[in-house]
Amino acid sequence: MNGDWLLRGRDGRLTVYLKSDDAVLCRAETAPGGPWEPFRRAGGDLGLRQGPAAVGQGADGYAHLAAWRQAGSGESRLVHCTHFRPLLAPLDWSPVGHPNGKGDRTGTPAVAVDDRRRAYVFVRNAGGGVSLLVQKERGGWYPWRDLKGSGVQDQLVAVSRESGLVEVYASTPDRILHWCQEEPGRTPTSGETADVAARPGTLRGLRTSAERTTLFFTDQEGELCAWRPGGKPVPLLRAAGPGPVAAVRCEIDGHDCTVLAQRSASGRVAFAAYPTEQEQAGAWWTESGPPLPSTAEVALAVDAQGTLVAATLDPATATLRVTRRKEEAGLALEGWREV
């Protein structure tokens, strides 16, 4: 999944989303902090194309999903569905079109949600730029909008500020691009760029203050970096492994901290934490849990009690493991358990 696949719903239950070959699967806690239900298919019986799907969440706790489906020989279309509460079935997939009108799959979608509960679906278009589809408040969608850009790589990262303003990041072979809304409801416009080459597939966005988001990425030298438009990318620490980091804000010992997690080169999950937006304070990795398959993914969230939760999910076997922060000083975790 492109986006945070471990989410806390409006009723406090945690949900995970997993892209299988032809579907998005979801699995939720039966009660906050309680047992988990089995995986079930999201969006009805409509078959999806192989490749990542996208998930984004609004302030109302609703999850929005976007994916590609086959629409004939050499033709694909994007589809969207909404998941209102973890134990409710998501709505059926609804077709939303193609950024170029017609054609095959063009890239992995990304989803963010604004302060009016509207989904913004971003995707690379056939010209190598970025296109946007915005949901209407009373149903339906506005026409596709071309945000321009060129040479954009497959992965986009969409994120919304606390104010609800939506932003999207994309990488090219030699720089990172950024689009942001200036006012609610307006089309995001091209903003600053960072003249740095990010390793493909390593972008991760996080809301880190009322009016700022931070983009994490791994550069070509293997350094995990943080970038906020208005400044320059800052090397934070050596990446623990090859994939993207998971990131979340939470309180640790009374301090607003950013916690990062990544599957390390050893296969275990590596954790790091530092005061939010204070990269100069430094951070270091601490590994936890058993070695995981190379396909395993890592996610972070904060549960209904405000406790840090980490999860790993192996798409090949659908094996889900979860741990929580202990009620003691520092970033001590409980033992990992398979659920």
Side-chain angles (χ1 to χ4, degrees), residues 42-44 80-84 89-93:
H80 165 270
C81 81
T82 306
H83 194 185
F84 295 108
L91 299 180
D92 287 347
W93 291 108

Side-chain angles (χ1 to χ4, degrees), residues 145-168:
R145 304 171 190 178
D146 186 357
L147 303 185
K148 308 300 182 181
S150 62
V152 169
Q153 296 174 328
D154 183 60
Q155 183 200 22
L156 307 178
V157 168
V159 61
S160 59
R161 302 177 185 176
E162 289 182 10
S163 62
L165 296 179
V166 170
E167 306 182 19
V168 64

